[in-house]
Amino acid sequence: MSMVHTLGVVAVFWGCLFAVDRALRRYRPWKSGYSQWLEDKGLSLSFAHVRCYTTKFNRTFHQLGNWNKPMSRFWFGLGALIGVMLMGSSVVVLGFTLFQTFFASEPSEQVLTPVMPGVNLPWSDIVYYLVTLIVCAVFHEVGHALAASTEQVKVNGFGIFMLFLYPGAFVDLHSDHLNVISPKRQLRIYCAGVWHNFVLVLFALLLLLALPVLLAPFYTSGIGVVAVSVPQDSVLRGKLAPGGVITSVNACPVSSSNEWYSCVEEIATKSQPGYCVFTDVIEKRKSVGLNETKLGSDGSRECCSEGSQSDICFQVVYGKGRHSAFKCLTARTVATRESCQNSRDCRGVMDYACVFPAVAPQTRLVRISHTGGQDVLFLGDPRALHYAISVNSYLPSGPSVPLWLPDLLQTSCRYIISLSSALALLNMVPAYFLDGQWALTVLVEWCLEDLLSPKYRRRLCSCILITGSVLLGLNICLAIWTLVNW
């Protein structure tokens, strides 16, 4: 699905929700009851935006923040140190990304990558994305709330929201209480959110590394990759069943999910190999000259009769000075032979020729060996296999052990590491409307109070914030441009 289609679907959803809300607000028999229900639930709704606000957690925040005050202040003091380090790191990373993009011979990978479901985020992962983003945002705001309670700043309320495609959270602090405490105490509060995101990343990373040990009593690994799910629209549907163990891809052995991705990438980047086939087998098929083949729009050649399901067109490269020709051969028979680049690679008592699939430049003939039956043949872009099947490295030790659990844990950890680290880094950019703005202001106030007058401290903050905002804005524009041209 293209970005335009995705935006259209989401816009229609919000339009329908907004229309229902307007109708209920104007329909007299339900108007007062509906408005009262929204107020009781703390809900507010506008086009492409819905928010839920509550005060039910205020007492919990206060109790946790004051449970062990010396330990809490040490915890959030450590968070302030990490936050200041992240502030400097964010500027370096964003600046280096721009430099690499505009001045380096080989552009680097971007730090900011907007996520668009159906474009660069598979729809099958949309639940992972939304749940992870909500968890990271809530964890971030809970950090602010607990730090505020530790510093005797009143928490007015807490809420979550959904803005178009992106969920988030927020905490409402008493501004008068916040402004009267010292800059050092304010810094602990402003950095607490990114500190909690940083801790969440460390937890997910440790869990991901410990999974092989934690799952060892219930799963077997090292014998191949296990097919977890095959989507309904997958070309492998009906050929590979969930629970089947894949042992190799072409001649590349597979014993883990990392090896699976590595083998698929290797097949995609290297040229299509040929196959050693007996000349006696080849000569039984009719030769087709180059002028007799049909040239496809993708660069492939067609020399088989229409409706042939098992045969594809191969280019035969003979040795001993004979001219090449095109033959319609059975793909499954050919794909089981040894690979070659020319006929000299084919050695044996009998005469061989090296045959190459006459396919498009990005297309490969891939043979997937598994334990559930005969090998599966795939003809297409090898990278499409990543979307055609979901795999992991863990085979359940018994029928009662869930097949999907390792994949769920691994994918969740990877999303948490990616999204929570992005929130931690970007929130501390010294730019307007981010945590970095307030952290920078109180940091300058705290460190330069005796060196600069209030006037020059404000000017210094303004210069840094303008620079940080421009730097962030350029990276966002670059990221959006990349997404549009995805």
Side-chain angles (χ1 to χ4, degrees), residues 88-138:
S89 301
S90 66
V91 174
V92 172
V93 170
L94 294 180
F96 183 73
T97 300
L98 289 179
F99 176 81
Q100 286 288 97
T101 301
F102 294 109
F103 300 105
S105 56
E106 295 184 2
S108 63
E109 186 176 349
Q110 292 177 214
V111 177
L112 288 179
T113 304
V115 174
M116 183 64 65
V119 180
N120 59 352
L121 175 73
W123 282 107
S124 57
D125 282 4
I126 189 65
V127 175
Y128 286 110
Y129 168 73
L130 292 177
V131 172
T132 303
L133 200 54
I134 292 174
V135 169
C136 294
V138 168

Side-chain angles (χ1 to χ4, degrees), residues 194-445:
V194 298
W195 166 235
H196 274 212
N197 284 131
F198 183 79
V199 172
L200 189 60
V201 170
L202 292 181
F203 173 78
L205 183 60
L206 290 175
L207 179 59
L208 189 62
L209 294 175
L211 274 182
V213 176
L214 297 175
L215 297 177
F218 312 101
Y219 295 87
T220 303
S221 59
I223 61 173
V225 295
V226 182
V228 178
S229 63
V230 183
Q232 289 286 347
D233 57 348
S234 171
V235 294
L236 300 181
R237 186 78 176 181
K239 300 176 182 178
L240 276 172
V245 180
I246 298 172
T247 56
S248 68
V249 185
N250 284 355
C252 186
V254 173
S255 61
S256 67
S257 56
N258 288 335
E259 290 185 358
W260 160 264
Y261 294 119
S262 177
C263 288
V264 171
E265 186 63 25
E266 181 181 352
I267 293 170
T269 53
K270 290 186 177 181
S271 59
Q272 169 70 60
Y275 301 91
C276 295
V277 180
F278 297 136
T279 53
D280 290 346
V281 174
I282 296 174
E283 295 302 330
K284 293 178 181 179
R285 297 295 183 104
K286 177 184 176 182
S287 294
V288 180
L290 178 63
N291 295 332
E292 300 177 82
T293 62
K294 297 179 181 179
L295 178 62
S297 58
D298 57 358
S300 62
R301 292 280 176 179
E302 182 57 60
C303 61
C304 297
S305 59
E306 294 184 6
S308 177
Q309 299 293 326
S310 58
D311 298 344
I312 62 174
C313 188
F314 287 86
Q315 184 178 13
V316 184
V317 179
Y318 293 102
K320 303 176 183 179
R322 293 180 62 183
H323 295 292
S324 62
F326 290 91
K327 298 272 187 173
C328 182
L329 302 174
T330 303
R332 182 170 298 278
T333 301
V334 173
T336 58
R337 307 299 303 173
E338 295 180 359
S339 61
C340 59
Q341 294 299 325
N342 54 63
S343 293
R344 291 189 299 273
D345 296 336
C346 303
R347 301 180 182 274
V349 178
M350 302 181 66
D351 289 334
Y352 289 90
C354 191
V355 301
F356 294 84
V359 293
Q362 299 300 323
T363 300
R364 302 288 185 271
L365 178 59
V366 182
R367 178 167 57 94
I368 303 173
S369 300
H370 64 106
T371 59
Q374 65 177 351
D375 294 351
V376 174
L377 296 185
F378 171 82
L379 187 64
D381 187 340
R383 293 186 179 95
L385 288 171
H386 297 324
Y387 304 98
I389 187 172
S390 175
V391 301
N392 67 40
S393 306
Y394 302 94
L395 177 66
S397 57
S400 61
V401 180
L403 179 65
W404 47 264
L405 182 59
D407 188 59
L408 173 68
L409 293 174
Q410 287 180 318
T411 306
S412 299
C413 286
R414 292 191 179 104
Y415 268 97
I416 288 174
I417 292 170
S418 176
L419 295 178
S420 192
S421 59
L423 284 175
L425 188 69
L426 296 180
N427 257 298
M428 286 310 292
V429 176
Y432 290 106
F433 308 114
L434 298 178
D435 288 345
Q437 174 188 355
W438 313 113
L440 173 70
T441 302
V442 297
L443 181 65
V444 170
E445 184 75 20

Side-chain angles (χ1 to χ4, degrees), residues 76-89:
F76 292 114
L78 183 60
L81 176 62
I82 296 297
V84 172
M85 294 173 63
L86 286 172
M87 185 187 299
S89 301

